[in-house]
Amino acid sequence: MSAPERIPPRSVTPEAASTELLARGELTVRGRIREASNAALLCTVAYDGQEASCIYKPVAGERPLWDFPDGTLAAREVAAYEVSEATGWGLVPPTVLRDGPYGEGMVQLWVEATADGGLLALLDAEEPGPGWKAIGFAEVGQGRTALLVHADDERLRRLAVLDAVINNADRKGGHLLPTPDGNLYGIDHGVTFNVENKLRTLLWGWAGEPLPPEILEVLGLLEEALADDAPLATRLASLITPAELDATRARVRTLLTTGTHPEPTGDWPAIPWPPI
């Protein structure tokens, strides 16, 4: 099945779409996203007069990984959505776990991103200028290096905190989706929630800096939502293991105790490859 030349228009936005549409609608496969490392199928989903484009990632199409149990990536994507919703930041498109044409899998609303969101840049400089945060130096060819930076953007800061909570091992630039209406979404959360620290991201610009009061307040509410028998904890318990749920609680507690953005530990590559 070849990749489609264009994405079919959708009739709902991420804000208006309900998980009911994704969970109960009829899925029709339109094509395959060939760049994806695991099977990712472009679909339309229709239910009760609504239709939307979405991504369907069947569990059967997941490649085995040495550090994650087989067949668990789809559930982790849904868990990331649940945590994002609990923060109130809406950083992950609506995502559900359901049966589909190729078995159980993750179904996520398609988000149409702007061509250039101005979130990443390469600078011919030693230090980032105003409005930018340094990631590190990158080779750009012919023995030259440039400073890779990300925007000093509150949406990115929130996403960096979400990644720290869910222990995202693969926050690439291509996983950042700014939209024309000013929102920002993060996608591809299959390698998350590991018990071991595997945070690997481009969003290190705030490493070691104090967390803003607004973020600390959200983390405090998230800690309450992760308490035993709380609705969020109950939903996550069906998606990740008890040990992974406890590790998520511990990461939230660490952020609240230190009051700072995490820093690379040196025990794990800090930046994903390829970074974009």
Side-chain angles (χ1 to χ4, degrees):
M1 184 178 297
S2 61
E5 293 183 359
R6 62 183 295 273
I7 302 302
R10 54 183 169 78
S11 57
V12 293
T13 64
E15 293 77 18
S18 67
T19 53
E20 184 180 35
L21 168 64
L22 297 174
R24 302 184 65 179
E26 181 180 357
L27 278 177
T28 302
V29 176
R30 302 298 186 185
R32 181 173 181 178
I33 309 300
R34 294 198 175 277
E35 296 80 5
S37 56
N38 296 293
L41 304 177
L42 175 66
C43 300
T44 55
V45 59
Y47 177 74
D48 196 24
Q50 282 191 316
E51 181 175 298
S53 295
C54 60
I55 295 296
Y56 163 49
K57 296 181 181 180
V59 172
E62 295 179 4
R63 294 192 308 172
L65 298 173
W66 67 269
D67 51 349
F68 285 85
D70 293 350
T72 66
L73 305 191
R76 294 172 193 278
E77 295 228 37
V78 179
Y81 167 71
E82 293 286 353
V83 174
S84 169
E85 287 298 284
T87 65
W89 292 334
L91 293 169
V92 179
T95 312
V96 301
L97 191 67
R98 58 163 287 179
D99 195 34
Y102 298 101
E104 185 180 59
M106 178 223 78
V107 176
Q108 184 176 83
L109 190 73
W110 177 271
V111 171
E112 196 70 59
T114 57
D116 180 13
L119 299 177
L120 299 169
L122 284 168
L123 304 179
D124 187 14
E126 295 294 320
E127 298 290 339
W132 296 100
K133 290 286 188 177
I135 302 169
F137 288 95
E139 294 185 7
V140 294
Q142 299 180 340
R144 296 177 55 247
T145 60
L147 183 63
L148 180 61
V149 297
H150 66 70
D152 188 2
D153 185 309
E154 194 60 29
R155 300 170 302 170
L156 285 181
R157 185 193 278 259
R158 289 176 173 181
L159 192 58
V161 173
L162 177 66
D163 284 343
V165 169
I166 67 177
N167 197 16
N168 192 351
D170 194 33
R171 176 61 72 202
K172 295 184 173 76
H175 300 166
L176 306 174
L177 302 183
T179 59
D181 58 8
N183 287 322
L184 174 69
Y185 297 95
I187 60 169
D188 285 351
H189 297 108
V191 286
T192 51
F193 294 100
N194 202 299
V195 172
E196 299 179 4
N197 178 23
K198 291 184 178 292
L199 184 58
R200 190 165 58 170
T201 175
L202 284 180
L203 305 180
W204 288 115
W206 297 280
E209 292 187 12
L211 291 163
E214 176 262 341
I215 286 180
L216 289 171
E217 181 179 357
V218 169
L219 287 171
L221 295 174
L222 183 59
E223 184 177 43
E224 296 177 7
L226 288 168
D228 286 338
D229 298 325
L232 175 62
T234 300
R235 292 195 294 275
L236 291 181
S238 68
L239 299 166
I240 58 178
T241 68
E244 289 166 344
L245 181 53
D246 284 342
T248 303
R249 295 183 176 114
R251 289 190 294 270
V252 173
R253 172 45 38 192
T254 296
L255 289 169
L256 286 168
T257 301
T258 63
T260 61
H261 285 271
E263 299 180 81
T265 63
D267 298 329
W268 178 255
I271 296 176
W273 186 261
I276 305 300

